[in-house]
């Protein structure tokens, strides 16, 4: 007999109580529904609809329709509004058990509506939260893109990597063991500092849950002015769904190929007139097209919104992720060469390998509006990330196929804290308008790493290129029958604990100066400080404490300056300069910590709105220069020339350059038709390295991609016999790139770089909605394209084959 867990019992009990309460409320209530259109007859999506007397509100859907449920019988004032417009009101009477149908025609045109909207496919002109200020995208001298909730739903997105395939210029890469997402933008890897959740840094060591997000915001180019020590490529912000003062929710079941299933529940509503809640929970269990690979995930995201009068609100958000994923290094290389005919399903890790992660975060966000011109935002975030990992290392077989497998055992516990205060406002000096942002932030990370005894206990010379290095066992990637693979789990125990704290803080000021309606200037500067004290290492075997490398302290000013010219309201042309800093690891030849590298970024772009705002296009060109790149020093202090083999001893003498172009298209040209598309080109390379022994200059760096392109089109039939039918397709192109390792000048020929061919995948979706039910199916990689992502020169991870996925949902 199946035993029900305590957690499942209480979860079911609470769910039944909530649904029962809603059912009782519905019996004494009525509903209000209708459709909203603009003054020129266009569908008006994402418009606020609510009642003046009680906290009941909703937003019109993609088809312009809205529904207010569970409204107690009585007389009300229905109000319709959106940011920047006057509220429109109408008196209504709601009867118990009945549905009141009422349509609205707004006073504004579709173009005026677009001034403030962010839909699923168009960014619109509303300021994005990742920008921290009230600057509209058209006035922002930087490329910005929003992947909205509608795109997330239409494409049945599960992971952040699925969402970012829609962001041109952001490329998906492979990670060690496929246990986390890895991205590149404008030639730079987006590390932990570049990925945010609700505006705060988040650990991405486990793949973030993306199916429940409200949107994903991408600010391309330098964001050092706002966020400090981030790389120059882009900053990504995951925005979670917020509480609503309207009872409702959604229950869905997603299922697909390879035993994938994922139930999700989303409940929200008011607790009283000032307090609202939302709780989202999802469970995922999946196999894989890769043999032996499994995934098990549980995610919950509760939130509370408390409104203190009309000027202040406090938002509390938390989430918890528990995931167990099989580490998977793909099928490896043989003699640094990819075996082209390797089956996509081939798995070469141990059958017991595991990667278990528990991640928790909590955030309090306070917003206070002093008046129409000034607003204060403060947030505090804390997070905890725990990983327990045991697996083989990266697979690299010698020329005859023999791979001497070694094991890695690790456990980490990271605590992080982030605080931010931002003041935004506007004022005039004569006829010149100033939109200012003044902010300060600080965060601290405490990483505790547990070191284990060496689980590798075999020594076998034979053809082993490193005969004195212990290993777990040996298998052959070309002939699986040559050796018998071990399946036992070696005993391990903790022998050391390493503590590595990092402290960051900064303050900044930014001003958008409107000189005339056509000419604007943006100027700002940030001061940043980062302190990485010596790591402390406690040995549990001999009760001995030691200290790590030199103390790392970095201070830097990061300026930004831009000129913006808008010849007409729908066109913006800009040029900008910004500077950012990147901390370096290692020491110089004297044992001192290396100073940070400085990136200079130059950008020019054009943004356009066409067809009364129904079509938006932008073109951006950029160059990023690093004239102080850290690279391995040719010799140690007092050593012979070109004799240094320690990669931790470096010098700041290298140079890199990254050039590129990005094109974005988004729109809703006709009712029901939504699309987004993009193209990018990038060339990232070294322009100066150490003579004779440095890395090869002028060659595309490993991990960067020459071209990417994407396009998605969805059409929903909003009337006629096919009303409710939705059809869509998505195309993703990944261009030529290099895997492996960047070659150095000492090699007579390329020995580390692995050229990779471009590939294209096509997805097709079809769905149908009726009343409160909807079903959506997707066939991905229709052509069953075979290609792979490569992490360094060992992990050859094939892309998924043709797969099927469908989502059945019910909204209430």
């Amino acid at each position: 007999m199946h035993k029900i867990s305590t957690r499942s019992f209480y979860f079911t009990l609470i769910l039944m109580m909530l649904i029962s309460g809603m059912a009782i409320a519905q019996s004494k209530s009525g509903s209000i529904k209708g459709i909203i259109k603009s003054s020129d007859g266009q569908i008006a999506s994402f418009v606020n609809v609510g009642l003046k007397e009680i906290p009941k509100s909703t937003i019109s859907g993609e088809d312009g329709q809205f529904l207010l449920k569970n409204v107690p019988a009585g007389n009300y004032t229905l109000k319709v509004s959106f940011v920047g417009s006057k509220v429109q009101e109408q008196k209504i009477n709601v009867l118990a058990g009945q549905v009141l149908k009422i349509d609205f025609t707004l006073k504004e045109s579709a173009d005026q509506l677009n001034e403030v909207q962010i839909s699923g496919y168009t960014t619109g002109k509303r300021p994005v939260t990742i920008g921290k200020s009230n600057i509209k995208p058209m006035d922002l001298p930087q490329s910005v893109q929003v992947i909205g909730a509608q795109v997330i739903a239409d494409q049945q997105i599960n992971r952040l990597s699925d969402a970012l395939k829609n962001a041109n210029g952001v490329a998906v890469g492979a990670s060690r063991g496929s246990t986390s997402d890895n991205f590149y933008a404008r030639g730079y890897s987006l590390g932990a500092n570049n990925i945010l959740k609700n505006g705060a840094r988040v650990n991405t060591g486990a793949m973030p849950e993306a199916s429940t997000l409200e949107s994903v915001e991408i600010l391309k180019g330098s964001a050092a002015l706002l966020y400090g020590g981030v790389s120059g490529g882009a900053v990504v912000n995951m925005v979670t769904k917020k509480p609503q003062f309207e009872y409702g929710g959604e229950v869905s079941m997603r299922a697909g190929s390879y035993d994938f299933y994922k139930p999700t529940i989303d409940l929200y509503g008011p607790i009283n007139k000032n307090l609202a809640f939302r709780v989202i929970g999802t469970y995922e269990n999946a196999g894989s097209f890769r043999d032996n690979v499994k995934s098990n995930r549980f995610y919950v995201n509760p939130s509370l919104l408390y409104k203190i009068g009309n000027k202040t609100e406090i938002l509390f958000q938390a989430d918890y992720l528990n995931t167990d994923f099989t580490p998977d290094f793909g099928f490896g290389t043989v003699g640094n060469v990819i075996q082209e005919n390797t089956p996509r399903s081939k798995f070469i890790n141990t059958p017991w390998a595991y990667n278990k992660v528990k991640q928790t975060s909590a955030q309090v966000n306070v917003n206070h509006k002093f008046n129409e011109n000034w607003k204060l935002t403060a947030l505090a975030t804390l997070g905890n990330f725990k990983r327990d990992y045991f697996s083989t290392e990266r697979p690299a077989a010698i020329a005859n196929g023999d791979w001497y497998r070694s094991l890695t055992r690790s456990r980490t516990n990271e605590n992080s804290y982030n605080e931010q205060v931002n003041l935004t406002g506007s004022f005039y000096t004569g006829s010149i308008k100033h939109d200012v942002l003044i902010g300060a932030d600080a965060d601290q990370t405490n990483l505790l790493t547990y070191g284990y005894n060496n689980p590798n206990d075999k020594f076998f010379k034979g053809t082993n290129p490193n005969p004195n290095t212990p290993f777990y066992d040996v298998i052959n990637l070309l002939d699986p029958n040559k050796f018998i693979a071990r399946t036992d789990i070696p005993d391990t125990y903790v022998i050391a604990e390493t503590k590595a704290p990092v402290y960051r803080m900064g303050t900044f000021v930014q001003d958008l100066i409107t000189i005339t309606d056509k000419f604007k200037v943006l100027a700002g500067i940030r001061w940043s400080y980062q302190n990485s004290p010596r790591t402390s290492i406690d040995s549990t075997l001999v009760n001995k404490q030691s200290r790590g490398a030199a103390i790392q302290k970095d201070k830097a000013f990061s300026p930004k300056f831009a000129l913006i010219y808008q010849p007409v309201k729908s066109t913006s042309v800009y040029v900008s300069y910004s500077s950012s800093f990147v901390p370096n690891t290692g020491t110089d030849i004297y044992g001192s910590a290396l100073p940070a590298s400085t990136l200079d970024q130059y950008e020019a772009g054009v943004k356009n709105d066409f067809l009364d705002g129904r079509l938006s296009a932008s073109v951006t060109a950029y160059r990023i220069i690093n004239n102080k790149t850290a690279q391995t020093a040719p010799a140690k202090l007092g050593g012979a020339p070109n004799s240094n083999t320690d990669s931790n001893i470096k010098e700041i003498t290298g140079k890199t350059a990254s050039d590129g172009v990005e094109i974005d298209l988004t729109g809703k040209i006709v009712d029901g038709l939504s699309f987004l598309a993009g193209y990018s080109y990038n060339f990232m390379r070294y322009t100066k390295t150490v003579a004779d022994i440095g890395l090869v200059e002028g060659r595309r760096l490993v991990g960067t991609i020459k071209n990417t392109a994407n396009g998605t089109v969805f059409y929903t039939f909003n009337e006629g016999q096919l009303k409710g039918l939705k059809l869509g397709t998505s195309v993703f192109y990944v261009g030529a790139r290099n895997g492996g390792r960047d070659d150095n000048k000492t090699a007579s020929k390329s020995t580390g770089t692995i050229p990779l061919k471009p590939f294209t995948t096509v997805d097709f979706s079809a769905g149908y909605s009726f009343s409160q039910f909807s079903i959506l199916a997707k066939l991905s990689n229709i052509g069953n394209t075979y290609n792979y992502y490569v992490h360094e020169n060992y992990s050859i991870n094939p892309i998924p084959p043709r797969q099927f996925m469908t989502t059945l949902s019910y909204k209430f």
Side-chain angles (χ1 to χ4, degrees), residues 484-518:
I484 299 177
R486 288 176 61 177
T487 59
D488 61 298
I489 306 177
D491 293 330
T492 58
Y493 48 88
V494 175
I495 61 173
E497 297 179 2
T498 302
K499 299 176 182 178
V502 177
Y503 305 90
R504 304 181 187 91
M505 61 180 296
T507 183
F508 60 92
V509 60
Q510 172 185 280
D511 188 8
L512 176 65
I513 306 169
T514 303
I515 300 174
T516 68
D517 289 340
K518 295 184 178 181

Side-chain angles (χ1 to χ4, degrees), residues 501 530-536 547-554 584-588 590-595 648:
Q530 179 166 318
N531 180 13
S532 301
R534 291 180 185 269
T535 57
S536 62
R547 308 293 283 177
I551 298 174
Q552 182 92 16
K553 291 184 178 181
D554 295 300
N584 289 307
T585 59
T587 66
D588 61 19
Y590 302 101
S592 300
L594 295 172
N648 288 316

Side-chain angles (χ1 to χ4, degrees), residues 410-549:
S410 65
R411 186 158 57 95
T412 58
N413 186 352
E414 179 185 276
N415 290 300
S416 59
Y417 312 89
N418 178 269
E419 303 83 29
Q420 300 179 31
V421 177
N422 299 301
L423 176 66
T424 59
S426 61
F427 63 91
Y428 284 85
T429 55
S431 62
I432 298 176
K433 183 183 179 183
H434 300 265
D435 290 294
V436 298
L437 166 64
I438 303 170
D441 51 63
D443 65 58
Q444 175 183 350
T445 301
N446 294 315
L447 176 62
L448 176 61
T449 303
Y450 296 91
Y452 285 80
N453 64 302
N454 192 342
N456 303 294
D457 55 5
K458 300 293 183 182
F459 289 89
F460 176 73
K461 293 187 178 181
T463 56
N464 187 354
N466 300 302
N468 296 320
T469 301
F471 60 95
Y472 172 66
D473 70 353
V474 58
I475 65 173
N476 189 279
L477 301 188
L478 301 177
D479 180 9
N481 297 318
K482 183 176 180 179
F483 302 101
I484 299 177
R486 288 176 61 177
T487 59
D488 61 298
I489 306 177
D491 293 330
T492 58
Y493 48 88
V494 175
I495 61 173
E497 297 179 2
T498 302
K499 299 176 182 178
V502 177
Y503 305 90
R504 304 181 187 91
M505 61 180 296
T507 183
F508 60 92
V509 60
Q510 172 185 280
D511 188 8
L512 176 65
I513 306 169
T514 303
I515 300 174
T516 68
D517 289 340
K518 295 184 178 181
F519 186 67
K520 302 177 182 180
V521 175
L522 186 143
I525 191 166
R526 176 190 178 93
W527 177 80
S528 297
Y529 172 78
Q530 179 166 318
N531 180 13
S532 301
R534 291 180 185 269
T535 57
S536 62
I537 305 172
D538 294 322
S539 174
T540 59
L541 293 181
V542 295
N543 194 27
K544 179 181 178 182
Q545 186 176 77
S546 59
R547 308 293 283 177

Side-chain angles (χ1 to χ4, degrees), residues 4 51 81 87 90 186 195-196 201 264 289 380 413 438 445 486 624 627 668 720 785:
I4 301 176
L51 298 176
S81 68
V87 176
Q90 184 168 334
R186 299 189 173 184
I195 307 296
L196 315 173
R201 288 184 177 91
T264 301
F289 66 95
N413 186 352
I438 303 170
T445 301
R486 288 176 61 177
I624 307 173
N627 287 325
K668 298 179 66 176
T785 298

Side-chain angles (χ1 to χ4, degrees), residues 169 184-189 233 622 624 658 682 684 701-705:
Y184 290 87
R186 299 189 173 184
Y188 287 86
S189 176
Y622 61 86
I624 307 173
S658 179
N682 173 261
M684 172 77 168
L701 293 187
V702 166
T704 65
I705 298 179

Side-chain angles (χ1 to χ4, degrees), residues 138-161:
M138 188 62 76
D139 293 337
L140 190 66
Q142 203 163 348
S143 179
V144 61
Q145 186 174 355
V146 178
I147 310 300
Q150 194 61 51
V151 178
I152 293 172
D154 285 347
Q155 295 184 2
Q156 301 185 74
I157 285 172
N158 289 306
R159 301 288 182 267
L160 181 59
S161 56

Side-chain angles (χ1 to χ4, degrees), residues 639-797:
N642 301 337
S643 63
N644 178 33
T645 59
D646 187 346
S647 60
N648 288 316
I649 299 178
K650 304 175 182 179
E651 62 181 18
I652 306 292
T653 56
K655 295 183 180 180
T656 63
S658 179
D659 301 322
V661 175
E662 297 165 350
I663 302 173
D664 280 303
L665 287 172
T666 60
K668 298 179 66 176
I669 296 179
V670 297
D671 290 344
L673 179 66
S674 301
F675 73 90
L676 61 86
Y679 166 83
S680 72
Y681 164 82
N682 173 261
F683 182 33
M684 172 77 168
R685 71 279 186 195
Y686 282 102
T687 56
K688 179 183 178 182
T689 60
V690 176
D692 300 326
I693 64 170
L695 296 176
V696 175
E697 299 163 0
R699 179 182 295 177
R700 183 178 307 281
L701 293 187
V702 166
T704 65
I705 298 179
K706 181 179 181 181
N707 307 102
T708 64
N710 65 277
T712 292
V713 178
F714 270 81
Y715 184 76
T716 302
F717 294 85
N718 292 321
E719 53 189 14
Q721 294 183 343
L722 297 178
K723 182 179 180 180
L725 178 65
K726 174 179 285 191
L727 300 173
T729 186
S730 297
V731 181
F732 303 104
Y733 171 80
V734 177
R737 60 222 185 275
N738 290 327
R741 296 182 183 274
D742 294 306
D743 289 321
N744 58 47
K745 298 173 182 177
T746 60
S748 58
K749 61 179 181 178
S750 177
T751 57
T753 301
I754 305 174
L756 301 173
K757 298 177 181 178
F759 67 92
T760 302
T761 60
V762 180
D763 303 343
F764 176 76
S765 298
Y768 183 73
S769 299
F770 175 75
S771 184
Q772 294 165 273
F773 289 93
S774 67
I775 187 170
L776 182 65
K778 178 176 73 172
L779 186 65
S780 59
N781 193 5
I782 294 175
N784 205 32
T785 298
Y786 181 85
N787 210 291
Y788 22 72
Y789 293 107
V790 177
H791 178 66
E792 296 179 341
N793 61 327
Y794 303 118
S795 302
I796 314 299
N797 299 96

